[in-house]
Amino acid sequence: MQLTTLLWQSVRAGTIASVAIVPLAPLLKAAGLRIGHYGPKFAGLYLDEPQPWQLFVQHLVIGWLSALPLLVVLAMSTPLGCWPVRVGAVYGALYYVAVNSLALPLYFGDALPRQLGAATVLPSLVGHVVFGAVVGWVARSTAARKKNQSLRA
């Protein structure tokens, strides 16, 4: 896969997946669960008072960057590429563990989510799994569309 194609797919899949998980936040917050804790904290590193639109743009850019490694794995690995949605879901879970449950809490000096309980772990874990699964689904649908186009030509 060419670099420009990979970057375009990252923007496309990352945007779709990022938008797909947005409705989870109000639902989970209404249930009294913690979600979106690190978005404002991260934005606070470079903005004094992040506005909602700025947080959304940050959310999209992080989605683009987060989709990129998964798309590389799917493009390079034929056996894993057979199950892109499942691989994406696993990627989302691993991403949550590495980034949101370890790296960000350690960086910001917060308690680890597992120390805070299921009401902190589950919402973010679910969001990350859905994000990864959607990226895998977009990658699969893009590959299928390209295959159909090449068969028609």
Side-chain angles (χ1 to χ4, degrees), residues 71-132:
L71 292 169
V72 168
V73 166
L74 291 172
M76 293 177 60
S77 138
T78 304
L80 293 179
C82 294
W83 304 295
V85 175
R86 290 181 200 153
V87 172
V90 170
Y91 172 82
L94 294 173
Y95 187 98
Y96 166 76
V97 169
V99 176
N100 285 70
S101 76
L102 291 174
L104 290 172
L106 292 173
Y107 181 81
F108 286 107
D110 294 341
L112 298 178
R114 65 180 168 82
Q115 296 170 319
L116 301 174
T120 300
V121 172
L122 290 178
S124 188
L125 177 59
V126 167
H128 284 86
V129 167
V130 169
F131 175 88

